[in-house]
Amino acid sequence: MEQKTTSGFPVYRSRRIRIGSLELGGEAPVRIQSMCNTDTRNVAASVDQSHRMIEAGAELVRLTTQGQREVEALTEIHRRLRAMGHDIPLVADIHFKPALALDAARVCEKIRINPGNYLRGKDVDDLLPRLLQRCREGGTAIRIGVNHGSLAPEIVEEFGDTARGMVESALAFLRVCRREDFHRVVVSMKASNPRMMIQAVRLLVAEMQNEGMDYPLHLGVTEAGDGLEGRIKSAVGMAPLLLEGLGDTLRVSLTEDPVAELPVARSIADCFPKPVTLPYDPLAEGAWDPFLFARREARDVKGLGKGSALKVVSEVPPDRTLDLLPGELAGHIVPYESWKQDPGCMSETSVLLLENQGLSTVEVKARLLDFCSRDTHAPVLVQWRSQEKDETRFALQAAGELGALLVDGQVDGVRLENPHVPVIRTNNILLHILQAAGARISHTEYIACPSCGRTHFDIVARLGEIRRATSHLNHLKIGVMGCIVNGPGEMADANYGYVGAGPGRVSLYKGKTPRIRNVPEQEALDLLLQLIREEGDWVDPE
């Protein structure tokens, strides 16, 4: 959707950097990328998958780099792709082994390192400059990639498991980059919770601006899952930031063939072009704190308000005990335009109506900010209409546009309409959007990673089996993770976790605690269901 721009506040613009033949940041287009889930040592499979991703639109390709054999394989993968005519940058994904990054920097155009498990304490000042010098010599770029699920223990101890902790983790590395006058840097704040990811990116940008930094931003919701849920969660996390002018490259992380990620990423980048200016400052505290979520507690009008879970207004409510028919709000609705002309028109039983008719998302959000800064009592209903005939594109557009309004906790009810999509399916899309935005839980949530070369089992098949056995447990979040690098951390708010522990082995978690370790994969599902029963969280399907 074309977003109108309104003169007002300029948005963040990063510096432009070069990664191999690719320009990223500044006024360059938002770049899309993905990551191989092959064993990097299997050169033929990795080349084939990289080729398919490039053909699908990938502008960067990342590969797991666990050891020296993977570095050697990357050399051959790089050679073969160049021989095929592909000159896109390759990215080596490094965890735990600082020395390995030095070798990979000779092979790839970009290195991704995770502050939470790459260097600790004084090693950042002592060893990171060596990597920066190696990258300077080879013209290699670096991504400082912070994951919410793998913050260093000292960061968690001082700042907690928070957006502030994520930002402080990145800043420790970015300050060294600036001190060493190395600026071929990209930075990311990733989380499986879209709201946490949005807050962290906003806070990072605010802190970078305070310290005179302007590094490009990589956006991504980790462990988004698969199917409709994974696509919606990705759009809810990334579109609000793009609409605030934040983001230079993005990766959609789906528990599917990574080739399937590229059209989704391209749709998100195309549907939500970054504005040049905004009618409000997205990083300024006003009606709400952009860095810390707090649910607005308006008065109760027909079940809307009082900080309760968001209601769906529909001719066919998904939950008649919770949601509302349009007629039930007759006589209570006050359009924004009427309130703007006469704020005194609001009564104790009024509900403010915000609509997107003829307005861009940022213009509707400006109205939401305006109202919430002057009226903290009346509940807010958003009515969103679309004419998009393609159902998948409609879901992505609605997720991004409504996500931008929902993630800060100021809305009390939503009505989503599309004459080309049946009401029941429209409501299903809306419930997924509300869940991704943290506004309402209505179905079992699966926090599932996209897998990579560290995964030793068929995660797509296992996720399908787990979903079939547990999809009726709509009061639970279940994590399905390929390995322990980010798995236990990213599923920290899950009730249960299924995590790869090695070839053919799985560990099962209750919350953050491993309860059954290193069991054979073929036994793991039954043991997971048994654990859920023993903990009293099982209910029989109806």
Side-chain angles (χ1 to χ4, degrees):
M1 176 178 290
E2 183 67 27
Q3 296 292 332
K4 300 176 186 176
T5 57
T6 305
S7 60
F9 296 91
V11 300
Y12 174 77
R13 278 292 181 263
S14 63
R15 68 171 61 216
R16 183 176 293 206
I17 67 170
R18 180 170 288 278
I19 305 172
S21 62
L22 185 74
E23 288 194 337
L24 186 147
E27 300 299 327
V30 174
R31 307 298 187 177
I32 64 172
Q33 58 179 285
S34 186
M35 181 176 183
C36 286
N37 63 7
T38 54
D39 183 336
T40 305
R41 294 170 297 181
N42 187 333
V43 172
S46 298
V47 169
D48 176 69
Q49 192 173 77
S50 297
H51 168 73
R52 290 190 295 112
M53 286 193 287
I54 295 166
E55 291 293 298
E59 295 171 279
L60 298 95
V61 169
R62 181 159 47 115
L63 297 101
T64 301
T65 310
Q66 297 167 270
Q68 195 61 44
R69 290 176 63 189
E70 282 80 4
V71 174
E72 294 168 3
L74 277 172
T75 304
E76 180 62 14
I77 292 167
H78 194 283
R79 186 192 70 77
R80 292 192 190 184
L81 288 173
R82 295 298 176 268
M84 296 168 69
H86 298 312
D87 67 345
I88 70 154
L90 296 187
V91 186
D93 195 60
I94 306 290
H95 293 274
F96 304 115
K97 297 180 180 180
L100 201 62
L102 294 171
D103 294 330
R106 298 183 187 275
V107 177
C108 294
E109 285 80 11
K110 184 179 174 186
I111 303 293
R112 183 272 174 129
I113 56 177
N114 181 345
N117 56 35
Y118 179 72
L119 293 174
R120 301 284 172 82
K122 67 181 181 63
D123 288 340
V124 176
D125 288 317
D126 293 343
L127 298 181
L128 183 58
R130 291 178 54 197
L131 176 59
L132 299 182
Q133 180 57 32
R134 177 64 56 84
C135 290
R136 194 192 317 275
E137 294 167 357
T140 308
I142 288 179
R143 171 155 70 98
I144 307 300
V146 178
N147 272 39
H148 181 231
S150 54
L151 297 177
E154 61 269 21
I155 289 288
V156 176
E157 182 176 348
E158 183 172 357
F159 300 102
D161 192 15
T162 62
R164 170 60 67 180
M166 294 175 67
V167 170
E168 292 297 331
S169 180
L171 288 174
F173 279 62
L174 294 176
R175 287 168 184 145
V176 175
C177 294
R178 183 180 58 184
R179 186 191 73 200
E180 299 294 319
D181 197 27
F182 182 89
H183 301 293
R184 195 170 290 197
V185 177
V186 182
V187 61
S188 65
M189 303 274 108
K190 289 194 172 186
S192 59
N193 181 331
R195 199 166 64 202
M196 173 67 71
M197 171 245 189
I198 290 168
Q199 292 166 1
V201 172
R202 288 171 174 169
L203 183 58
L204 172 71
V205 171
E207 294 296 341
M208 284 202 300
Q209 289 181 320
N210 288 340
E211 299 192 25
M213 301 178 189
D214 57 356
Y215 297 116
L217 300 167
H218 171 124
L219 303 184
V221 177
T222 61
E223 285 79 45
D226 63 347
L228 180 66
E229 180 178 0
R231 286 157 174 77
I232 284 176
K233 185 182 284 189
S234 298
V236 167
M238 288 186 268
L241 292 168
L242 292 171
L243 292 173
E244 293 175 355
L246 306 177
D248 300 288
T249 179
L250 58 88
R251 187 246 172 136
V252 171
S253 298
L254 299 177
T255 311
E256 302 175 17
D257 185 325
V259 175
E261 298 177 353
L262 279 313
V264 184
R266 175 49 60 202
S267 290
I268 291 173
D270 290 346
C271 285
F272 307 103
K274 296 193 296 182
V276 177
T277 61
L278 285 170
Y280 56 88
D281 183 351
L283 305 181
E285 290 192 34
W288 57 80
D289 184 341
F291 314 123
L292 185 65
F293 178 83
R295 182 78 171 86
R296 180 173 179 264
E297 294 195 13
R299 70 171 71 94
D300 183 357
V301 178
K302 304 294 289 186
L304 297 177
K306 293 197 83 170
S308 61
L310 265 70
K311 307 294 189 294
V312 174
V313 177
S314 172
E315 291 83 356
V316 186
D319 182 349
R320 192 64 192 93
T321 64
L322 179 67
D323 300 309
L324 298 170
L325 293 164
E328 294 180 85
L329 292 175
H332 298 278
I333 296 296
V334 176
Y336 172 86
E337 294 83 353
S338 299
W339 169 82
K340 189 68 173 176
Q341 292 177 1
D342 177 17
C345 71
M346 303 289 287
S347 71
E348 291 290 313
T349 61
S350 293
V351 173
L352 184 87
L353 176 65
L354 289 174
E355 299 180 273
N356 68 325
Q357 295 292 79
L359 298 173
S360 70
T361 308
V362 296
E363 289 170 327
V364 177
K365 187 151 191 178
R367 292 185 169 195
L368 179 64
L369 274 160
D370 180 32
F371 178 75
C372 291
S373 65
R374 294 199 278 161
D375 188 320
T376 59
H377 305 299
V380 174
L381 171 66
V382 171
Q383 183 163 284
W384 213 259
R385 294 187 174 94
S386 172
Q387 295 290 330
E388 176 57 56
K389 296 181 180 179
D390 183 275
E391 191 168 324
T392 299
R393 189 174 177 86
F394 164 58
L396 288 176
Q397 287 182 345
E401 293 166 356
L402 290 175
L405 302 176
L406 296 173
V407 293
D408 294 302
Q410 309 302 302
V411 175
D412 302 287
V414 182
R415 183 176 185 182
L416 178 61
E417 296 178 287
N418 186 331
H420 307 292
V421 179
V423 174
I424 292 177
R425 291 216 291 271
T426 297
N427 284 345
N428 183 51
I429 289 169
L430 180 54
L431 289 174
H432 277 287
I433 294 170
L434 296 180
Q435 182 142 330
R440 171 173 167 177
I441 304 300
S442 58
H443 56 272
T444 313
E445 183 168 344
Y446 298 93
I447 303 171
C449 78
S451 83
C452 64
R454 296 184 296 268
T455 302
H456 296 288
F457 62 90
D458 186 342
I459 195 168
V460 175
R462 297 295 86 75
L463 175 60
E465 292 170 358
I466 293 168
R467 188 191 299 275
R468 286 190 290 274
T470 62
S471 61
H472 65 290
L473 302 175
N474 58 13
H475 59 297
L476 296 183
K477 292 184 181 181
I478 299 175
V480 183
M481 302 293 169
C483 72
I484 62 170
V485 170
N486 296 312
E490 288 297 353
M491 66 174 198
D493 62 345
N495 303 101
Y496 295 92
Y498 181 110
V499 181
R505 314 296 290 188
V506 171
S507 291
L508 302 174
Y509 285 66
K510 173 70 170 71
K512 298 181 181 181
T513 305
R515 297 291 297 276
I516 304 174
R517 295 180 182 270
N518 204 31
V519 299
E521 181 186 346
Q522 59 268 28
E523 301 174 15
L525 176 56
D526 288 340
L527 290 171
L528 173 64
L529 301 183
Q530 179 180 321
L531 177 62
I532 295 172
R533 289 187 175 93
E534 290 173 353
E535 293 294 327
D537 286 322
W538 181 267
V539 295
D540 290 327
E542 296 180 356

